[in-house]
Amino acid sequence: MYRPVLLCRFLDDGAMGRVWRASHSETNTPVAIKVVPLREDATEAHIFRFRAEIRAIASICHPGVIRIIDEGVLDDPSIMGDGNQIPKGSPYIVMEWASDGHLGQRIRYRDWDQTKNILLSLLDALAAAHARGIIHRDIKPQNILFSNGCLRLADFGGAFEAQADQIDPTRTKMVGSPNYMAPEQILCRWRDLGPWTDLYAVGCLGWLLATGRPPFVRKTRKAVLRGHLLDRLPVFAPLFPVPPDFKSWCEKLLAKNIHSRFEFAADATNQLL
């Protein structure tokens, strides 16, 4: 295990791993540790995606992408901060600590300047990822972190590598969060994935930031997915003044046909400036 680190607090238990806040014992620097417990229900796909997350983050040199400090596997069973034992051989990542939480905790009290800056910072980080052939596939408020006031895009556990040497076992599976998933993700059309897939999620996020809710809010997951596939966008009702063309900008990002969206993050950026 990352021996100079003292675990402080369990943070999250997701499909791709468990996350703890920790502290470097010598420098007292806060970090986050993500571990995939190597247990019977940890499939080959889980381990593949974890390794892919490390490759993805390590390949993107950009201040808007969370930084990896170390990675490895547990050399012996470890008792983590929540009292659970993690088996020997479980892979882990040590990442920088985002001190200011995630976007989901900061949705309220927005204005246009804040909204624009968040979207531009996110698009800049995505442009760097897309230039490396990496599609994030899970853009949502909880994966947009802030550290010292600056945005950090995190959780590349669902990332799709367009030029990967190995076949991705998740490519034919639905990956993402229902409120922010592009139609091609829902339909598992992996050959149609591209920068425009993440840009659809940016459109959902822009809608959320302006109106207080993502475009297709439904009572069930199935109904949300159907909304992305078939339903027209609801009435755009921003909670604060926005430029007249912001609605059409979101609508272009949220086009169901991939050819009707912006092709690259830079295109969306230029229209937003």
Side-chain angles (χ1 to χ4, degrees):
M1 186 56 185
Y2 193 66
R3 296 303 177 189
V5 162
L6 298 175
L7 292 162
C8 298
R9 180 163 58 93
F10 175 69
L11 296 175
D12 188 31
D13 194 355
M16 286 304 303
R18 315 192 75 195
V19 182
W20 285 264
R21 179 180 177 178
S23 178
H24 192 281
S25 58
E26 296 181 2
T27 65
N28 202 32
T29 302
V31 294
I33 297 183
K34 185 174 185 178
V35 184
V36 173
L38 196 62
R39 54 196 183 206
E40 292 182 1
D41 59 347
T43 65
E44 178 184 354
H46 278 84
I47 303 303
F48 180 93
R49 294 315 314 158
F50 194 79
R51 303 306 301 179
E53 178 175 13
I54 295 173
R55 292 196 306 270
I57 299 175
S59 70
I60 306 168
C61 183
H62 190 277
V65 174
I66 204 76
R67 182 171 55 92
I68 287 182
I69 297 171
D70 196 8
E71 58 92 12
V73 297
L74 300 182
D75 53 13
D76 56 46
S78 296
I79 303 296
M80 308 305 272
D82 60 351
N84 290 327
Q85 186 176 60
I86 303 298
K88 176 181 178 180
S90 297
Y92 65 86
I93 317 175
V94 182
M95 297 171 286
E96 67 172 304
W97 172 251
S99 57
D100 300 331
H102 60 72
L103 182 59
Q105 299 165 327
R106 301 159 60 109
I107 291 296
R108 294 183 179 181
Y109 314 118
R110 296 260 72 84
D111 59 32
W112 170 244
D113 287 339
Q114 290 176 309
T115 295
K116 179 181 176 180
N117 289 336
I118 288 169
L119 293 172
L120 288 175
S121 296
L122 175 59
L123 288 167
D124 195 40
L126 284 174
H130 296 161
R132 293 287 184 176
I134 296 166
I135 313 305
H136 189 284
R137 287 201 294 182
D138 198 15
I139 303 297
K140 60 181 179 180
Q142 291 75 15
N143 289 340
I144 299 170
L145 309 180
F146 293 88
S147 184
N148 298 319
C150 297
L151 181 145
R152 298 283 192 276
L153 181 58
D155 200 344
F156 283 75
F160 180 83
E161 298 173 272
Q163 307 299 326
D165 295 331
Q166 296 174 278
I167 299 231
D168 184 344
T170 71
R171 66 179 183 171
T172 58
K173 297 180 180 180
M174 188 166 58
V175 175
S177 299
N179 282 326
Y180 305 91
M181 287 176 66
E184 61 270 22
Q185 287 178 267
I186 297 169
L187 297 173
C188 301
R189 293 177 176 169
W190 65 273
R191 294 183 186 275
D192 289 339
L193 298 180
W196 46 87
T197 303
D198 285 341
L199 295 180
Y200 183 95
V202 174
C204 293
L205 192 67
W207 199 282
L208 168 72
L209 291 172
T211 70
R213 53 194 287 162
F216 299 108
V217 177
R218 303 289 188 271
K219 291 183 178 180
T220 66
R221 181 174 184 270
K222 183 177 180 180
V224 171
L225 299 179
R226 177 184 171 85
H228 289 296
L229 293 175
L230 300 173
D231 294 353
R232 298 178 63 179
L233 287 167
V235 174
F236 183 70
L239 301 175
F240 49 82
V242 300
D245 56 354
F246 184 63
K247 175 176 178 286
S248 60
W249 184 84
C250 288
E251 288 174 341
K252 187 171 179 65
L253 290 170
L254 291 167
K256 299 187 189 306
N257 187 326
I258 62 175
H259 301 293
S260 298
R261 297 179 211 150
F262 293 112
E263 186 174 2
F264 300 113
D267 301 325
T269 296
N270 291 336
Q271 290 295 317
L272 188 60
L273 289 173

